[in-house]
Amino acid sequence: NLREIRIANQLNLDFILLSPVLSSKLNYPSIGWTNFKSLSKEANMPVFALGGISKDDLKTCMANDGYGVSGISKF
């Protein structure tokens, strides 16, 4: 969320994971690409998409101000 991104900015972290973008195994609401882009613009570091993401989502991630994709089950 935005509060945590601002904390990450203050801590000058190297990168963050933003999740869940498309889906979650724990039924958390997905943020979608539009919200991902909004939140990514607030970050002062690279943002990786996580949550229902596959390698095929890399171009979409980058088009939405993301740096890359991360995942477990679809990789």
Side-chain angles (χ1 to χ4, degrees):
N1 63 38
L2 184 56
R3 180 174 102 25
E4 292 172 335
I5 290 172
R6 288 182 176 153
I7 292 169
N9 286 341
Q10 289 174 349
L11 294 172
N12 199 30
L13 299 180
D14 294 329
F15 67 91
I16 59 172
L17 300 172
L18 191 51
S19 174
V21 177
L22 301 179
S23 68
S24 167
K25 289 182 182 179
L26 301 175
N27 295 322
Y28 292 115
S30 301
I31 63 170
W33 287 115
T34 301
N35 288 329
F36 177 91
K37 184 173 187 169
S38 274
L39 292 168
S40 292
K41 286 184 175 195
E42 297 294 325
N44 295 336
M45 74 285 297
V47 179
F48 289 84
L50 181 65
I53 302 295
S54 73
K55 294 181 285 186
D56 297 332
D57 294 305
L58 179 58
K59 286 183 182 179
T60 303
C61 175
M62 294 175 78
N64 286 284
D65 294 327
Y67 187 80
V69 295
S70 182
I72 298 171
S73 60
K74 293 189 176 186
F75 281 76

